[in-house]
Amino acid sequence: MLHLETRKLNCPNCGEVIELVIDCSIPNQEYVEDCQVCCRPILISVTVDLDNDVLIEATRLED
């Protein structure tokens, strides 16, 4: 079942706060999303554990 949550974090490129919509029904995922502020790509890694705690890691992609 689809379970979406909104999370805020700082862009690793420009440092501005951005908002992500995470599909918590997928326990392990990795994808690239552009920052809404600076438009540079960010590698987003998401892990959802058995207690439904969400861990998000945002990594700057090298140009």
Side-chain angles (χ1 to χ4, degrees):
M1 178 178 215
L2 188 65
H3 175 215
L4 301 178
E5 289 189 19
T6 302
R7 299 293 173 103
K8 292 183 180 182
L9 63 127
N10 292 83
C11 170
N13 295 304
C14 67
E16 293 292 326
V17 175
I18 59 172
E19 191 171 270
L20 300 175
V21 177
I22 305 296
D23 181 356
C24 297
S25 64
I26 303 171
N28 294 298
Q29 52 190 300
E30 189 172 87
Y31 61 94
V32 175
E33 185 164 324
D34 290 340
C35 172
Q36 297 109 346
V37 178
C38 71
C39 299
R40 294 180 68 195
I42 306 166
L43 177 63
I44 307 291
S45 300
V46 179
T47 304
V48 181
D49 67 16
L50 295 175
D51 294 325
N52 289 323
D53 293 326
V54 179
L55 174 64
I56 303 170
E57 185 176 325
T59 307
R60 186 176 132 203
L61 288 178
E62 299 298 324
D63 294 329

